[in-house]
Amino acid sequence: MSVEVERKFVCESDIQDKLKNIGAVCIGQSEFKDRYYDSPDYTLTLRDFWLRKREESWELKCPAFSRTDVEKIDEALCTKYREVTDLKKIQAVVKTVCSGAVEGSLDVSEQKMTDNYNKNETWLKDLMLVCFAEYTTQRCSYVFEEDGGDGKVRVDLDQADFGYCVGEIEVLVSEGGDMQSAQHRIQKMAEKLGLGGEKRIQGKMDVYLQRYCPDHYAKLIKAHIL
């Protein structure tokens, strides 16, 4: 399972020109709707688990590190998440988290797939999960081939339908791989694009919750999730 290491940045009007000038290649544009789910008391998101349905595909973003060093987390420019896309594994993980599993004790590969859930979404009702956020994103994606054969860095430029635009620099790392190297590659890409600042930039979800779900947002801020 791979880990997404990602840094968000403010999209300036000339960002696409900058990407082309450094040799990044546009790999296409897309539009998709995301629906995010949680329990009424925010069991998943308060543990930094993000369950979403993107169009017709389910995804679960799980924290890839322990939240023990609050100060370090607050200062971090990058986020790190494991992404689970197999529906049965998603259901098993969500059931475990909703049952009170402690973060860090969860091993997706060892989950027993014994639940008789199916794809008609009755499992959401069984686990008392409801949609708390829904929005559509228009995305333009680029890839940059690094010197020395280090691999590709992906850059997504997102425009959400609630009026927020944000960029994302992403590197995929195999679980157990070199996270520091991934962060260094992201930093190099940020420098190539002339991105400065030491402050973490809000993502689409941060802004959506701040605007439309302030109570939920406040709880996540207090828990040092956002």
Side-chain angles (χ1 to χ4, degrees):
M1 185 183 302
S2 61
V3 174
E4 292 182 350
V5 184
E6 183 179 280
R7 173 178 170 175
K8 294 177 173 59
F9 64 90
V10 176
C11 286
E12 302 291 349
S13 59
D14 61 347
I15 185 61
Q16 294 196 57
D17 289 335
K18 288 182 177 180
L19 284 162
K20 293 173 183 176
N21 289 340
I22 66 171
V25 177
C26 180
I27 58 173
Q29 300 182 28
S30 59
E31 181 176 297
F32 49 86
K33 176 177 286 188
D34 286 327
R35 298 179 179 87
Y36 285 82
Y37 293 81
D38 202 350
S39 64
D41 58 354
Y42 316 129
T43 300
L44 292 176
T45 54
L46 283 175
R47 288 182 175 148
D48 207 14
F49 287 80
W50 299 87
L51 174 64
R52 73 183 175 203
K53 188 177 185 183
R54 175 162 290 178
E55 295 296 337
E56 297 304 316
S57 299
W58 286 97
E59 301 170 349
L60 179 66
K61 297 180 72 172
C62 310
F65 59 92
S66 176
R67 290 184 172 273
T68 55
D69 189 342
V70 172
E71 183 177 353
K72 183 176 180 180
I73 293 165
D74 284 345
E75 294 176 353
L77 295 178
C78 294
T79 58
K80 307 174 189 69
Y81 287 96
R82 292 178 293 158
E83 188 169 287
V84 185
T85 56
D86 179 83
L87 181 58
K88 289 184 178 179
K89 290 184 178 181
I90 289 173
Q91 292 166 342
V93 173
V94 170
K95 183 178 180 181
T96 301
V97 176
C98 288
S99 298
V102 177
E103 179 186 330
S105 67
L106 190 62
D107 185 348
V108 175
S109 64
E110 295 179 0
Q111 291 296 322
K112 295 181 179 179
M113 307 306 169
T114 58
D115 296 318
N116 292 320
Y117 294 134
N118 53 42
K119 296 182 180 180
N120 65 7
E121 300 185 12
T122 57
W123 62 281
L124 294 172
K125 183 177 180 180
D126 292 343
L127 293 174
M128 296 183 290
L129 300 175
V130 295
C131 180
F132 68 87
E134 179 177 339
Y135 51 81
T136 298
T137 299
Q138 292 182 330
R139 169 172 289 179
C140 184
S141 300
Y142 287 79
V143 292
F144 177 75
E145 192 79 42
E146 295 176 291
D147 296 333
D150 289 335
K152 295 180 179 179
V153 177
R154 179 176 175 127
V155 179
D156 291 323
L157 309 177
D158 287 355
Q159 175 68 58
D161 63 358
F162 54 88
Y164 185 63
C165 183
V166 67
E168 301 172 347
I169 305 173
E170 178 188 287
V171 171
L172 290 178
V173 183
S174 58
E175 192 159 14
D178 190 344
M179 296 293 174
Q180 287 190 336
S181 174
Q183 289 180 251
H184 179 65
R185 292 165 62 192
I186 289 173
Q187 177 61 29
K188 285 177 60 178
M189 186 64 177
E191 291 172 357
K192 287 179 181 291
L193 293 174
L195 304 177
E198 298 298 324
K199 185 178 180 181
R200 185 169 169 178
I201 302 301
Q202 287 185 309
K204 299 190 296 288
M205 179 57 73
D206 303 59
V207 174
Y208 182 95
L209 291 175
Q210 191 174 19
R211 290 182 184 178
Y212 306 113
C213 309
D215 291 343
H216 191 175
Y217 179 78
K219 289 180 183 295
L220 292 169
I221 290 293
K222 185 176 181 179
H224 304 288
I225 301 298
L226 299 180

